[in-house]
Amino acid sequence: MLEGLGKYKIMGINARNRDFIFPNNRRRFYPLVDDKLLTKKLALEAGIQVPELYGVIEFINQAGQVAEIAAPHKQFVIKPARGSGGDGITLVKDVIGGSFQKANGELISAGDMQYYITNILGGMYSMGGSSDKAILEYVVQFDPIFNEITYQGVPDIRIIVYKGVPIMAMLRLPTRKSDGKANLHKGGIGVGIEMSTGSTMYGVQGSKFVNEHPETLKPLAGRQIPRWPFLLEMASKFYDITKLGYVGVDIVLDKDKGPMVLEANARPGIAIQIANRCGLLSRTEKVDAVDVSKFTLRDRVNFALNAYK
C-alpha cells in the first residue's frame, strides 16, 4: 500500500514533519506566524494588505468592553491571537442593545460575551493552552464570485509555499456543517486550484469527493480566482518576511478592498493533496531539482505558473 502511495507522490504527516517542517522552519521563527498580531505587523510592513485591526483585549478587566473597543463598528470579528484550526473565532454582524448577533442570527448576551473573552485570555483556544489576547478586526466582505458556492462564512484560499515557491493551492468553502467556517476538519469543502491558471477543479468534503456545494447545489469547478498571479506573489512574500521554508498562507478576497492575508501557518495540513488529487512530493521535487536560492520574487511566481501544468 505504501508503495502505491509513493507512486502518487503523497506526502504523509511524518514526512511533512521530518523532511519539510523540521529542516526548513527554524523554531525561533514560529512566533511570527503563530501570533496573528505579529503576522499582521510583518505583513503591513511588507506592503501586504490584512484585515484592519480594531482593537486588542489583553486583560480580564477589559473583557466587558467589547462593544466599546470595537465602536463605531457594528460588525467585527473576534479571534484569539494564538488560535489555530478556526477555534474560538466569532463573527459579530450587529450589536443590538447590549447583545451581540452572530452570523447565524444567534444572540450572545453581554455576560456570555464577557465569559467568552475571558476564555480566550485564559488560553482555551490557543496553541499549548497558554494565556492569550483577543483580537477585534474588520469583517471581510467576500468577493461576489463566491456567492454561489459558500454558506454564511468567508471563503479563503490556502497556498502552500516551499522555499519561497507557491507549489499547491486550494479554495476553502464554508458550509452549514462547518457552521460557516472554512476549515476542512470542521466540515468545510476544499477545492483544488490549477496553479497555472487559478481556475478551480475538484472538491472534497471530509472523505467524499464533491462536485457541488451541498447548500447551493452550484458546481465547484471552473471558477476563476481573480488576480491569481498577484495572490501567488502575496503568498511567496511570506517566505521573505518569515524565513519559513515550508508555510501555508491563507488569503481572502474582499469585494471592496481586494486580496488580504488572513494568517499563515508553519504546520499546514496535508489534505490539500486530496482536493488537488495530486501529491505534494511531486511539487517539492520540482523545486528541489533547481537552485531557487537565487530566484527573485518574480522568478518564484513565474516558476509556480509554469512548472505545474
Side-chain angles (χ1 to χ4, degrees):
M1 180 175 176
L2 291 176
E3 187 179 347
L5 287 176
K7 175 183 174 184
Y8 296 102
K9 307 287 185 182
I10 300 296
M11 181 188 293
I13 199 75
N14 290 334
R16 182 202 68 169
N17 295 340
R18 181 191 63 230
D19 301 333
F20 295 92
I21 291 180
F22 180 74
N24 293 292
N25 293 353
R26 295 183 182 176
R27 290 204 62 85
R28 64 191 173 99
F29 296 132
Y30 278 36
L32 302 181
V33 293
D34 287 348
D35 185 332
K36 295 177 179 58
L37 286 170
L38 269 178
T39 307
K40 269 185 189 294
K41 179 175 180 292
L42 282 174
L44 288 171
E45 288 174 352
I48 298 171
Q49 191 168 218
V50 296
E52 180 185 352
L53 180 65
Y54 290 161
V56 180
I57 296 177
E58 299 183 56
F59 307 108
I60 294 291
N61 62 2
Q62 297 174 305
Q65 301 172 8
V66 170
E68 180 183 341
I69 292 171
H73 309 285
K74 283 262 186 176
Q75 293 189 0
F76 50 91
V77 171
I78 305 172
K79 61 170 67 170
R82 292 176 50 80
S84 66
D87 292 333
I89 298 176
T90 296
L91 190 158
V92 175
K93 74 172 188 178
D94 202 358
V95 180
I96 304 173
S99 298
F100 303 86
Q101 188 176 41
K102 295 171 61 177
N104 62 7
E106 179 187 339
L107 287 176
I108 305 175
S109 69
D112 286 344
M113 176 58 78
Q114 187 168 349
Y115 180 68
Y116 159 62
I117 296 293
T118 302
N119 282 335
I120 290 179
L121 300 182
M124 175 175 282
Y125 309 107
S126 71
M127 285 176 278
S130 56
S131 59
D132 205 351
K133 300 173 185 175
I135 297 174
L136 280 64
E137 68 179 20
Y138 170 77
V139 176
V140 174
Q141 307 297 315
F142 66 80
D143 192 294
I145 65 161
F146 299 125
N147 280 347
E148 290 188 339
I149 52 172
T150 192
Y151 177 79
Q152 291 192 345
V154 179
D156 67 24
I157 297 156
R158 160 69 59 89
I159 300 176
I160 302 292
V161 179
Y162 176 53
K163 297 182 178 177
V165 178
I167 59 171
M168 192 172 284
M170 71 173 165
L171 175 64
R172 303 192 304 177
L173 300 170
T175 65
R176 186 191 303 273
K177 185 177 181 181
S178 70
D179 192 26
K181 294 179 179 174
N183 305 82
L184 268 56
H185 68 280
K186 292 183 180 296
I189 296 174
V191 184
I193 299 176
E194 200 171 50
M195 291 299 287
S196 60
T197 65
S199 181
T200 58
M201 301 183 293
Y202 331 102
V204 62
Q205 185 179 29
S207 59
K208 295 181 179 177
F209 291 119
V210 291
N211 296 316
E212 301 171 342
H213 193 283
E215 272 68 61
T216 67
L217 303 181
K218 296 295 183 181
L220 302 172
R223 311 269 173 176
Q224 178 62 47
I225 306 296
R227 304 181 66 185
W228 181 239
F230 182 67
L231 268 57
L232 296 179
E233 183 177 310
M234 290 175 77
S236 182
K237 274 187 180 178
F238 264 77
Y239 170 68
D240 299 316
I241 65 177
T242 67
K243 308 303 180 191
L244 293 170
Y246 190 82
V247 63
V249 182
D250 297 340
I251 299 174
V252 290
L253 300 180
D254 187 279
K255 68 177 182 180
D256 301 316
K257 300 175 183 292
M260 300 177 177
V261 168
L262 266 190
E263 61 183 60
N265 193 323
R267 317 161 191 81
I270 55 176
I272 191 171
Q273 300 172 108
I274 304 173
N276 279 275
R277 302 187 191 179
C278 175
L280 276 162
L281 296 179
S282 68
R283 305 292 177 88
T284 59
E285 284 178 357
K286 288 198 173 184
V287 174
D288 287 333
V290 297
D291 180 8
V292 297
S293 64
K294 293 183 175 60
F295 276 17
T296 64
L297 176 63
R298 175 50 53 192
D299 292 335
R300 301 197 301 255
V301 171
N302 286 337
F303 187 94
L305 290 170
N306 293 294
Y308 306 122
K309 293 181 177 177

